[in-house]
Amino acid sequence: MYDTMFTVLNISVVPAWLLLILAPGWTWTQRLVHTALIPLALSAIYLSFLTLGIGFGQSDPEAGMSSLAAVQALFSHPVGLMTGWVHFLAFDLFVGAWIARDARRIGLSRWIVTPALILTFLFGPVGLLIHLLARKVSGKAGWSLDEPES
């Protein structure tokens, strides 16, 4: 059951990532990805798994966030693992959508943005790092995430 959910959840975010990469300015990309509908849906699924784990005892009794051992116990149960995975899917997509919007706003080349988006999809913070470095090195924006460089 959890294997199927894992597969369905992974597949469910692929169209959003493809839209960000292949059609960042398209109306449907704006409507589906930049309105945060998908991260909102994933957040509801996250809350469901979290409720199962915390409210209904579907987790390791030692699970928690207070120590490395407690976090390891959290991820040792399928519900805890799915909770963490959905967390990654939601936040990575949210960050990817921000990267795409930011890149369009400052005029960063799609040739630079595409690898950053792919790396965000696969390795989260690595893609964000690439984007933040690219925006600074390109001279199109600084370290402030609010305004382009003057």
Side-chain angles (χ1 to χ4, degrees):
M1 174 174 88
Y2 292 111
D3 285 335
T4 301
M5 282 192 266
F6 178 82
T7 300
V8 168
L9 287 166
N10 281 337
I11 291 170
S12 74
V13 299
V14 170
W17 283 102
L18 289 173
L19 287 171
L20 287 175
I21 293 166
L22 301 174
W26 191 38
T27 301
W28 283 101
T29 305
Q30 302 303 314
R31 289 181 183 169
L32 295 174
V33 184
H34 294 297
T35 58
L37 290 175
I38 299 167
L40 282 170
L42 289 169
S43 295
I45 294 166
Y46 171 84
L47 182 59
S48 299
F49 282 124
L50 194 63
T51 302
L52 280 174
I54 294 172
F56 294 97
Q58 296 294 310
S59 63
D60 186 304
E62 302 298 317
M65 301 290 232
S66 61
S67 69
L68 182 59
V71 172
Q72 184 176 2
L74 175 68
F75 289 117
S76 72
H77 190 281
V79 170
L81 191 55
M82 289 298 294
T83 305
W85 189 249
V86 174
H87 179 283
F88 288 128
L89 292 175
F91 270 64
D92 288 354
L93 182 56
F94 190 82
V95 169
W98 175 81
I99 288 171
R101 284 191 309 276
D102 184 62
R104 286 185 71 213
R105 180 177 64 87
I106 65 173
L108 202 56
S109 165
R110 284 184 58 192
W111 293 106
I112 295 170
V113 177
T114 297
L117 288 172
I118 292 168
L119 287 168
T120 302
F121 175 55
L122 296 174
F123 305 111
V126 174
L128 179 61
L129 173 67
I130 297 302
H131 176 69
L132 294 174
L133 290 174
R135 71 194 306 273
K136 177 64 176 171
V137 170
S138 72
K140 296 189 178 281
W143 294 120
S144 170
L145 301 180
D146 293 327
E147 299 295 327
E149 284 283 289
S150 303

